[in-house]
Amino acid sequence: MARNRAARVAGLVLAIAPGCSAPPDSGVAPAEAPGAGPEATPAVRFVDVTAESGIDHVLPSGTDSTYPMPAVMGGGLAVFDADGDGDLDLYVVAPAAGGNRFYVQQEDGHFTDATTAAGLEGDGMGCAVGDLDNDGDLDLYVTRVGPDRLFLNDGKGVFADRSAAWDAAVPGWSSSAALLDYDRDGYLDLYVARYVAFDPARVCSQHGGRRDFCGPTEFEGLSDILLHNLGGNGFENVSAVAGINAVEDAGLGVVAADFDHDGEVDIYVANDADPNNLWIHQGSGRFLDDGVLQGAAFNRWGNSEAGMGIAAGDADLDLDLDLFVTHLITETNTYYRNLMLPGFEDATIDTELGAASLDLTGFGTAFFDADNDGDLDLAVANGAVKRRPSALAAPGGAAAPPAFWSDYAEPNLLLFNHDGRFADASAQRPWTELGLSRALVPADLDRDGDLDLVIANLDGAPRTLRNLTIDAGAASDEPTVANWLQVRAFDPRLGREALGARITVRTPDGPRLLHALPPGSYLSAGPTAAHLGLDAAESVESFEVVWPDGLVESFDGVAANQVVELVRGEGQAE
Amino acid sequence: MTGPRKKVAGLRPAAVPAGLRRFAASPGGGSEDPRTQRDASTGGGSLSSTSRTFALVFLLTAAVLPAQQIPTPGLDGAEPAVRQRFASLQADLRADPGNGDAWGRYGMVLEAHTFTDAAITAYRQAHRLSPRTFRWPYLLAALVDERSAADSLPLYRAALALDPDYAPARVRLAEALERTGQFDTANQEYAQAVRLDPANAHAHAGLGRLALAAGDADAAVRHLSRARDLAAENRSFAVTLAQAYARAGDRERGQQIAAAARSLGRINYRDDPIRSSVHDLALDARSYLRRANAHRVHGELDLARRELRAGIDVDASRPELHFALAEVLAAAGDPAGSLAAARRAYELHPELEGVAPFLARALFQTGDLSGALAMAEEALRLDAGDVSMMLLVALVSAERGDVARIVEVLDRAYRERPQDPPTRDGLIQLLTNVGEAMVSSGLPDAAAGHFRKALDLAEEAGSPEAAGLRRRLAQVRR
């Protein structure tokens, strides 16, 4: 293979020049100007376009006077190209019976409800998306309080429930799930985090004796489940063999990636009130929980926190995966910096990520380059699980949740990365709106080159926040300084994206690490295409890809502002 | 960074016409806190220069303070005892709104019931009205610290200006400094706390954490080892020490400590009488249970029993209180009382986790085999994988000579958890007993099967009983 074989520009060419690909009839115009300058925290980068999007389904929590715990924990979301037409569709998952909805994105950018036609009715907690049978389309796994469900895609966005045939109906309360090919046989396996042995008869109250939702410590935790994919024909529960069933913790968030760069995929699980697990793959299908010794199980203070969602990304630009875990009010969200000792350190204080979260209960979260400046920012979806010590006032109250939730509603957070320290950029709408937010997924819904956000809300419609970074650049006469790339890693032998591929991009500003991974977050699934902000750089110099099977290949650089697909076997092997 | 979104109750200045009287008066209410009493006695005599400064500030402040509205939290759905306590304290305040210590006591009760905003308001008022009383700025600082370490710093310093020697406050100041990234100053405060109280485990742990973050793993091991020696029940110290050992290159020692830490409780307790006194004021049933559990951790069974009985007086319909009482009474050597409490818990909530197995064991221990068997079967209905109940059924069946039942249950238990050492040891013993029973019944072939199974298990476990079982099996076969 020639050394200079160029990265293949994707045939579908989803993205073109910045600012000219917004859906023509989306009804959305940039509402407010972007931030003032490079040193200032951008004032407004997002605008809520939910009302115009067609996504109008109020996601039912199912709460009532009995305060059922699943009602306050649910609210899942998948953003994926279900029908293979090149744009992103949406599946929202609700705790209440019949609450799930599937929305297909039309050519004009609007979404239409296709739940029944797609065969995706039901309820649940969260979901995972991936090509489980290697037939080139994306399948859907739905976690539930009860047996989980697996839906296989026919390639056109119509799904068939194959839970029984695949032995995929994991029992108990499942929360988040992650796909990984831990045995590198080419078929995606599934890690299912499970929460607690919920007893609906348990009555819980606050210290004043007022009834409220129960917390996880009221119940026994459940062991997680590892399902081995049997050649695209079914699953085998290998939790015992893998050692995963050695602990019974209240699992909520999960990310699978090679954290120590030893070539084996590892698993990180955020547990609610229990120490987090860092399952290090020992090879041969055995995992060892090394979270305590590697500094990722407990925070700086040695405390296990109420782990909810996880963001994974190279936030400090040192070419390894750091972790960010969201937590309960009075706990900070925690940033675990990867030191590659191997091990992590709680660097929440150094990164100034603590104060913003102390008064909020965080769930979905993601590292993403919100302003395309080349480093990773953060978004956090919030909403209390018990009555707050003090209710927050909604400025304007435009998206106020139902009265039941008035003591629980919280605003979401946007945190901008400035040289490794994060500044709260949530002082204006839509970030000041209150709600009960749970799943959160960054994705370029309108294919304009910046990352939008979709956030699931209990008893509210999923909120679609359009990123104005590119729009703002296009609206002015100034040349944009928000260049970007989206990078896909494709393995033609498998006929699907190479989940877990590690991509180092040489840019004029230094190397950047990308992973072909879904966002992690909380009860969420999203695109595995990696997004890279390039600031003013108009091209990148090269790509180096470590494929999941260990092959390392280099690819030549490309110009900015496009979607590129790196194809295994078409680069220069090292 | 989230200043605009944080709703910390605003402070309204207060009018305190009786302020000067309050300044010199006892904090009143029969406070048992020696620190408060010491503050009061100092205030009653000749004033030091510091006291004079406080007096001047106080007079100036009091002169401009308008009326302070009493914060009234929403108590819909709260237990009657809680509502009564709040009504009583509010009446006290209305009668004497210039009484700083009354405000402080009200703040403590508010905090104990998690009305944080209102508690902050009350503590601020208490601090203004009783500016020489240590506990009000200290309690205020600790509460503000839960939301903003930076905002708590001047409050901790104000408290420590009143009493520089209260080591728990100095440790909390150090922790707040650590949370705000002022590591050098935090280190100095931890060191000062160690000088004040060499047995303060949290101060040693702080020094260890800072050393670990600075990359000095050996120093971290040294400080954290001291913390762990002083508070062996503290899981946070143990797991951080385990991590420090791993960083220092001794993974094996780290693994040992981490494994041992698994059995430690999640909640860590501090020796801080002033802060503890707040939590003692919570009057709802759940708080009684929480305090009882804290006493149980420290082996204080009498205190735990007292809390649980008080909680039952508040709300007798809560099964978890009765169940906790049953456990405490059992540990205290009162099987009859334990059994009665367990029965009540079971009546209230038959599926309450753990209550059916507990009751089955309690019945067995008091000789009620029929009751124990029935309850064990019920427990197995609720949790088919409860090996301890399978073994209990086997024990009762053995007492009754029901060999077939024993074998059936043992097989289930063995299938359920073949690798569990206690189960395995229990099974070895039971299989041996059953084997002997079968020998006595003239069934040597069946007995040999049980001895064989017991021998397999003993060999697998490396148990010294294997040799004896091997000999016994040979005898039976002969």
Side-chain angles (χ1 to χ4, degrees):
Chain A
M1 203 67 63
R3 168 72 181 85
N4 289 328
R5 188 147 202 163
R8 192 176 82 185
V9 179
L12 52 163
V13 187
L14 294 180
I16 47 178
C20 49
S21 62
D25 192 25
S26 63
V28 179
E32 298 174 68
E39 296 306 317
T41 296
V44 174
R45 291 280 183 185
F46 291 87
V47 61
D48 190 335
V49 296
T50 307
E52 298 90 343
S53 68
I55 303 168
D56 56 357
H57 174 60
V58 172
L59 190 143
S61 70
T63 194
D64 56 31
S65 60
T66 67
Y67 291 80
M69 192 179 177
V72 80
M73 299 302 294
L77 194 62
V79 181
F80 66 119
D81 183 4
D83 50 9
D85 65 354
D87 58 31
L88 292 169
D89 310 304
L90 187 64
Y91 187 57
V92 291
V93 184
N100 295 357
R101 285 294 182 281
F102 174 57
Y103 286 95
V104 173
Q105 186 174 178
Q106 306 300 317
E107 287 185 7
D108 64 0
H110 284 87
F111 289 82
T112 55
D113 186 341
T115 311
T116 304
L120 287 176
E121 292 154 318
D123 59 67
M125 295 299 294
C127 47
V129 166
D131 186 359
L132 290 168
D133 48 5
N134 288 3
D135 64 351
D137 56 39
L138 294 172
D139 308 305
L140 182 64
Y141 185 82
V142 180
T143 61
R144 304 174 69 237
V145 185
D148 296 345
R149 298 177 74 183
L150 171 66
F151 297 94
L152 294 188
N153 193 340
D154 72 350
K156 298 173 183 171
V158 177
F159 293 80
D161 186 339
R162 301 299 305 279
S163 313
W166 273 60
D167 280 336
V170 167
W173 183 343
S174 303
S175 51
S176 299
L179 293 161
L180 68 161
D181 183 11
Y182 73 91
D183 58 349
R184 292 188 283 191
D185 66 351
Y187 289 94
L188 293 174
D189 312 301
L190 186 64
Y191 186 97
V192 182
R194 295 199 304 166
Y195 194 41
V196 296
F198 173 61
D199 174 4
R202 182 72 55 91
V203 174
C204 296
S205 61
Q206 291 182 315
H207 289 171
R210 294 176 301 170
R211 188 155 184 182
D212 208 337
F213 295 99
C214 291
T217 55
E218 301 288 339
F219 309 102
E220 292 291 317
L222 295 174
S223 63
D224 296 342
I225 301 289
L226 181 61
L227 297 175
H228 176 231
N229 191 328
L230 301 170
N233 294 302
F235 284 130
E236 173 191 16
N237 186 340
V238 294
S239 309
V241 174
I244 296 296
N245 68 349
V247 296
E248 294 179 338
D249 293 329
L252 285 179
V254 59
V255 167
D258 179 7
F259 294 109
D260 51 9
H261 293 190
D262 68 349
E264 305 282 358
V265 65
D266 313 305
I267 302 160
Y268 186 68
V269 183
N271 292 312
D272 192 356
D274 293 317
N276 300 326
N277 311 123
L278 178 59
W279 293 106
I280 298 295
H281 193 190
Q282 309 292 295
S284 307
R286 288 284 302 175
F287 289 81
L288 170 72
D289 182 8
D290 206 30
V292 177
L293 297 195
Q294 292 208 26
F298 297 90
N299 69 2
R300 175 189 184 97
W301 309 86
N303 296 329
S304 55
E305 300 179 283
M308 314 284 194
I310 305 172
D314 183 16
D316 55 0
L317 304 179
D318 65 348
L319 304 182
D320 54 40
L321 271 180
D322 309 305
L323 293 163
F324 178 77
V325 185
T326 55
H327 295 125
L328 200 65
I329 187 171
T330 73
E331 300 173 340
T332 68
N333 295 335
T334 301
Y335 171 71
Y336 292 101
R337 175 185 286 143
N338 195 338
L339 301 175
M340 293 297 284
L341 295 171
F344 294 78
E345 67 171 358
D346 176 351
T348 309
I349 295 170
D350 305 332
T351 50
E352 300 180 0
L353 275 165
S357 60
L358 197 56
D359 194 35
L360 302 169
T361 296
F363 282 90
T365 184
F367 280 120
F368 72 121
D369 190 351
D371 48 0
N372 281 356
D373 69 345
D375 56 29
L376 292 175
D377 310 299
L378 267 169
V380 183
N382 296 305
V385 291
K386 290 180 182 289
R387 286 187 196 86
R388 291 177 48 81
S390 58
L392 296 168
F404 179 89
W405 296 114
S406 59
D407 290 337
Y408 301 79
E410 294 180 341
N412 298 322
L413 279 176
L414 176 65
L415 301 151
F416 273 95
N417 188 340
H418 295 298
D419 298 325
R421 294 179 183 231
F422 288 80
D424 187 352
S426 319
Q428 296 185 47
R429 285 180 175 166
W431 301 97
T432 51
E433 302 282 343
L434 304 187
L436 267 290
S437 297
R438 294 295 181 255
L440 177 151
V441 177
D444 188 5
L445 287 177
D446 52 8
R447 293 169 289 155
D448 67 349
D450 54 30
L451 289 171
D452 312 300
L453 289 168
V454 187
I455 302 172
N457 294 285
L458 291 169
D459 292 322
R463 295 177 69 187
T464 306
L465 305 184
R466 181 172 174 184
N467 191 330
L468 300 180
T469 299
I470 297 294
D471 308 65
S476 72
D477 294 333
E478 298 293 322
T480 180
V481 289
N483 294 329
W484 55 275
L485 274 182
Q486 283 182 20
V487 185
R488 293 181 171 177
F490 184 79
D491 189 338
R493 301 171 310 158
L494 308 176
R496 60 170 172 79
E497 290 189 73
L499 191 74
R502 192 167 79 236
I503 306 160
T504 305
V505 188
R506 304 284 165 188
T507 81
D509 294 326
R512 296 287 186 267
L513 180 70
L514 305 176
H515 277 82
L517 285 177
S521 192
Y522 174 79
L523 309 180
S524 303
T528 54
H531 179 96
L532 176 65
L534 288 172
D535 202 14
E538 295 180 349
S539 65
V540 300
E541 295 156 11
S542 66
F543 302 88
E544 181 192 89
V545 183
V546 180
W547 297 96
D549 64 356
L551 176 68
V552 181
E553 288 185 304
S554 296
F555 296 83
D556 275 0
V558 298
N561 303 326
Q562 60 178 317
V563 178
V564 293
E565 190 169 70
L566 307 175
V567 181
R568 187 191 180 284
E570 295 189 7
Q572 173 69 42
E574 294 185 352
Chain B
M1 276 178 226
T2 52
R5 75 171 73 253
K6 285 178 185 164
K7 186 184 174 188
V8 178
L11 176 67
R12 296 181 188 175
V16 192
L20 188 58
R21 174 179 62 79
R22 215 30 70 202
F23 171 72
S26 158
S31 168
E32 295 175 359
D33 177 51
R35 195 159 309 278
T36 306
Q37 290 170 349
R38 189 175 66 188
D39 294 336
S41 64
T42 312
S46 61
L47 298 180
S48 66
S49 62
T50 306
S51 298
R52 280 193 296 273
T53 305
F54 275 115
L56 180 61
V57 169
F58 179 71
L59 284 168
L60 289 171
T61 309
V64 297
L65 294 178
Q68 169 68 50
Q69 193 174 0
I70 298 170
T72 51
L75 292 171
D76 291 347
E79 291 158 1
V82 176
R83 290 201 297 270
Q84 285 167 15
R85 170 60 70 90
F86 275 96
S88 167
L89 289 167
Q90 287 162 3
D92 290 349
L93 277 178
R94 277 193 293 273
D96 189 4
N99 186 334
D101 294 304
W103 277 98
R105 284 194 300 277
Y106 186 48
M108 292 171 72
V109 174
L110 286 164
E111 182 186 351
H113 294 90
T114 67
F115 297 113
T116 306
D117 277 357
I120 286 173
T121 302
Y123 284 148
R124 281 196 196 281
Q125 187 69 348
H127 181 36
R128 282 177 179 249
L129 295 171
S130 299
R132 293 186 312 109
T133 303
F134 167 84
R135 66 163 51 195
W136 306 136
Y138 177 51
L139 291 175
L140 176 60
L143 208 49
V144 169
D145 195 2
E146 291 179 4
R147 297 181 177 183
S148 169
D151 290 346
S152 73
L153 292 175
L155 296 166
Y156 281 127
R157 289 194 167 113
L160 284 163
L162 294 167
D163 186 349
D165 297 337
Y166 190 55
R170 200 159 286 285
V171 170
R172 286 184 188 274
L173 169 62
E175 290 172 344
L177 288 163
E178 185 180 345
R179 274 193 287 277
T180 52
Q182 301 175 63
F183 300 130
D184 289 343
T185 317
N187 204 72
Q188 292 165 14
E189 293 292 347
Y190 284 130
Q192 175 65 9
V194 168
R195 281 192 289 275
L196 290 170
D197 179 8
N200 190 307
H202 289 267
H204 290 284
L207 292 170
R209 267 196 316 274
L210 290 172
L212 185 62
D216 187 349
D218 291 335
V221 165
R222 195 168 61 249
H223 290 301
L224 288 162
S225 295
R226 179 74 179 126
R228 186 163 171 263
D229 290 345
L230 290 165
E233 79 287 354
N234 188 303
R235 189 180 70 172
S236 297
F237 301 163
V239 297
T240 313
L241 176 60
Q243 190 187 341
Y245 268 114
R247 289 275 188 85
D250 191 348
R251 273 188 63 87
E252 187 177 347
R253 181 75 181 122
Q255 279 172 333
Q256 289 170 356
I257 293 170
R262 284 183 179 277
S263 62
L264 299 177
R266 192 173 70 87
I267 298 170
N268 299 313
Y269 297 92
R270 288 177 190 245
D271 186 13
D272 183 348
I274 292 181
R275 288 279 295 158
S276 299
S277 65
V278 173
H279 302 297
D280 291 345
L281 296 172
L283 295 177
D284 60 293
R286 178 179 165 154
S287 293
Y288 284 106
L289 179 60
R290 184 166 45 80
R291 288 195 292 268
N293 286 336
H295 288 309
R296 286 168 68 185
V297 167
H298 292 106
E300 299 161 345
L301 298 179
D302 279 349
L303 292 174
R305 182 170 51 189
R306 196 180 307 165
E307 291 285 355
L308 291 166
R309 289 207 187 283
I312 290 169
D313 286 344
V314 169
D315 185 354
S317 69
R318 292 188 174 263
E320 63 271 27
L321 286 169
H322 295 279
F323 185 29
L325 180 61
E327 292 179 313
V328 167
L329 293 174
D334 179 2
S338 173
L339 183 59
R343 281 190 199 278
R344 183 66 186 134
Y346 182 77
E347 287 166 7
L348 289 167
H349 187 359
E351 297 185 3
L352 179 66
E353 192 172 317
V355 72
F358 182 92
L359 190 51
R361 282 189 289 272
L363 289 164
F364 182 79
Q365 284 162 5
T366 55
D368 182 355
L369 296 186
S370 297
L373 184 61
M375 193 50 62
E377 298 284 11
E378 175 62 11
L380 284 169
R381 187 187 67 77
L382 296 170
D383 179 3
D386 187 339
V387 172
S388 72
M389 286 298 99
M390 295 176 198
L391 296 176
L392 186 61
V393 171
L395 278 171
V396 175
S397 301
E399 291 281 344
R400 295 176 163 189
D402 186 350
V403 175
R405 182 75 172 123
I406 296 171
V407 172
E408 177 211 334
V409 174
L410 288 181
D411 277 350
R412 275 176 65 192
Y414 183 62
R415 280 198 306 274
E416 189 67 34
R417 214 188 307 174
Q419 303 303 326
D420 185 63
T423 305
R424 191 173 51 208
D425 294 345
L427 286 176
I428 290 170
Q429 189 59 52
L430 282 165
L431 285 164
T432 305
N433 292 345
V434 173
E436 293 295 351
M438 287 180 168
V439 170
S440 302
S441 303
L443 301 167
D445 290 343
H450 285 83
F451 284 121
R452 177 74 254 174
K453 203 166 188 173
L455 176 58
D456 289 345
L457 290 167
E459 287 178 337
E460 180 184 316
S463 167
E465 291 182 39
L469 282 166
R470 202 174 293 113
R471 284 195 299 274
R472 184 65 178 136
L473 178 60
Q475 288 170 355
V476 172
R477 281 181 172 159
R478 279 200 299 273

